[in-house]
Amino acid sequence: MAEVLVLAEHADGAVKKVTLEMLTAAARLGEPAVVWTGPGVEAARERLAAHGAARVYVADSADYADYVVAPKAELLASLVAEKAPAAVLIAGTAEGKEIAGRLAVKTGAGVLTDAVEVVAGQDGSPLVTQANFGGAITVHSVVRRGAPIIAVRPNAIQPVAAQGAAEVTEVSVTLSDAARTAQVTERVATEKGARPDLTEAQVVVSGGRGTGSEDGFKIIETLADAIGAAVGASRAVVDAGWYPHQFQVGQTGKTVSPQLYLAVGISGAIQHRAGMQTSKTIMAINKDPEAPIFEIADFGVVGDLFTVVPQLLEEISKRNG
Ligand SMILES: Cc1cc2nc3c(=O)[nH]c(=O)nc-3n(C[C@H](O)[C@H](O)[C@H](O)COP(=O)(O)OP(=O)(O)OC[C@H]3O[C@@H](n4cnc5c(N)ncnc54)[C@H](O)[C@@H]3O)c2cc1C
């Protein structure tokens, strides 16, 4: 059975959930083989094995962290030439999509981004569901040339437990000078609170201009904390300086696909929807019954958020005892 390469997303040895999601997709197409860059594989191996990784190719060089994206694309290109995989799966993050594009140029293969489902087609090759044009159109696509490169949207595929050997093989690639042109000179860790990561969260509570002010937006944080959710924001909120840009959801922000997305005081402009409309369940609170968000909401409450959210908090607190 041909291998399917999965480029691991990890931070300090902790495997990101999207890696496990990609392993589940990879098992549908062939034998899942993780490509791990940098240190930390020992701590991760058990988790990778528990999600079906047959093999783990480890390129433990500082180059992958010291230089921006290009070394990872060169590593993958070399593995594609050597292993002739059935497909290459990469997380559909900003970095992952850039790696996918570079790899496609290097290998001459087709690339599919924003994949929300990956299955084996009739001939066994990947049949990919893509949320295109900001999620407005869903298409089914196949790659006709080369080993298909697929950028998989985080949170779109349910990871399934499966036993694999996760046999470690060291690999090393001689990187070109061109791969070392964009160097990382400094890393500044963002302060991480107790809240889950926005793109990986099961529940996201997002606030819009309806919150009225920086102070008003605090009600979004309170609601998120009451249900263990991540906080998101519309661009209007971010542009007004009420909340940091890294939490913006939408076309020019993050793409999220949680089990539950709560849009509070958000109109539901197409650019916002582009980042959240593949959420499994959408709930909206808005005082305008004509707000476009209600067109895609599974549940909607028409009302003033400063009346509705405190009632919601009261109910949550009663349930939590
Ligand atoms: C190129 C481009 C890229 C963009 N990218 C993004 C993006 O990534 N993400 C994004 O979000 N936007 C993006 N936008 C902006 C987008 O078009 C909208 O302007 C933006 O999403 C509006 O944010 P909002 O819904 O918070 O504000 P508004 O559109 O002003 O909506 C506020 C909503 O709150 C409701 N409301 C007001 N007060 C209350 C209250 N007390 N209780 C309940 N409801 C209330 C109103 O009825 C209204 O529906 C982009 C635009 C462009 C042109």
Side-chain angles (χ1 to χ4, degrees), residues 209 234-235 248-252 265 267 271-272 286-287 305:
R209 201 184 338 241
S234 73
R235 178 156 154 186
Q248 183 184 314
V249 172
Q251 185 183 314
T252 42
S267 59
Q271 296 90 352
H272 185 80
N286 198 302
K287 67 178 184 186
L305 72 93

